[in-house]
Amino acid sequence: SDAPSAAPATPSVAHLESTISVIGDDVYLAQVHDITSEVQSKAELRAREVFFRSVFQAIPYPTAVWRHIGDHRFVLHFYNSSAMEATLGRLAEMEGIELTEFYAHAPEFAARVRESFITGLPVVAEQKYTFRTTGSERYVRITSAKVGHDYVIDSVTDLTDLKAAQEALTENEARFRRLLDNAPDVIYRLALKPEIRY
């Protein structure tokens, strides 16, 4: 026959949960439940969790997650590999530490986490900060942002080199301005394009 043959059926997998109970002499009760959708849902949930953890680990800035435990208290719940690297691995020793203890040396950071949790809005600040894990002082931008119902993330961007470059540029401009203001010569700048202008 020239009629196309039907494609073979794709085998499907069913997940079954069974219970066998003795209810008398040589009498058994067997109960079987189809739990396929539950197993598939759990597998999808695990796959999503793996995906989001991978995305979180890929963030190039040190980032920590604070979990709300009630009464405006938070504990260090999770952190990415950039945070581990920035703290020379010492952050692992502090997992579960309370927010106020972690930021005891800089209480304004803890206040920002709480503010973001209450308002639901990101809180961004730039300032000098001494890392409690390494003792190094850096100029940082820290962003606290509520995610989900019970979590706030802290993401730190190190601006130390940029700040130093900006300060050096400002100092150079000031030095150049002083030089020009005190020079005994006539100094001017001439623009040739788009037209000649002094």
Side-chain angles (χ1 to χ4, degrees):
S1 162
D2 291 335
S5 58
T10 305
S12 61
V13 176
H15 296 272
L16 304 174
E17 181 178 72
S18 62
T19 306
I20 299 175
S21 306
V22 178
I23 58 173
D25 292 341
D26 297 328
V27 180
Y28 300 91
L29 173 65
Q31 295 175 308
V32 178
H33 299 283
D34 183 352
I35 59 168
T36 305
S37 61
E38 182 182 335
V39 169
Q40 289 172 341
S41 294
K42 286 181 179 177
E44 288 173 10
L45 189 61
R46 277 193 300 273
R48 280 190 196 148
E49 184 177 341
V50 168
F51 171 75
F52 285 115
R53 279 184 179 261
S54 299
V55 170
F56 183 76
Q57 289 297 346
I59 296 172
Y61 309 108
T63 305
V65 178
W66 297 97
R67 182 170 56 88
H68 184 243
I69 58 172
D71 297 326
H72 299 294
R73 293 169 53 224
F74 298 82
V75 292
L76 182 61
H77 179 67
F78 192 62
Y79 40 83
N80 66 0
S81 53
S82 295
M84 278 293 283
E85 187 179 313
T87 62
L88 305 178
R90 296 187 185 126
L91 202 55
E93 303 162 10
M94 299 181 177
E95 199 166 321
I97 191 172
E98 283 205 30
L99 177 72
T100 50
E101 183 182 348
F102 186 84
Y103 283 133
H105 65 300
E108 68 276 15
F109 282 72
R112 292 182 196 122
V113 169
R114 288 192 190 92
E115 180 184 343
S116 179
F117 183 79
I118 292 167
T119 65
L121 301 172
V123 179
V124 182
E126 290 184 10
Q127 69 177 77
K128 278 188 178 176
Y129 175 67
T130 303
F131 284 84
R132 68 169 287 165
T133 50
T134 62
S136 66
E137 185 180 74
R138 310 296 288 171
Y139 190 85
V140 300
R141 175 189 299 127
I142 187 160
T143 304
S144 301
K146 185 176 184 180
V147 290
H149 188 262
D150 291 319
Y151 301 94
V152 176
I153 63 168
D154 264 351
S155 187
V156 178
T157 306
D158 189 340
L159 302 176
T160 308
D161 294 340
L162 177 62
K163 186 74 172 170
Q166 288 173 338
E167 288 173 354
L169 180 60
T170 301
E171 176 57 33
N172 283 343
E173 287 175 350
R175 190 177 302 125
F176 184 64
R177 173 67 56 194
R178 285 193 300 272
L179 178 66
L180 288 179
D181 288 345
N182 295 311
D185 305 311
V186 175
I187 300 172
Y188 63 88
R189 186 169 62 179
L190 177 66
L192 301 175
K193 293 181 180 179
E195 59 190 30
I196 296 178
R197 275 189 309 114
Y198 288 98

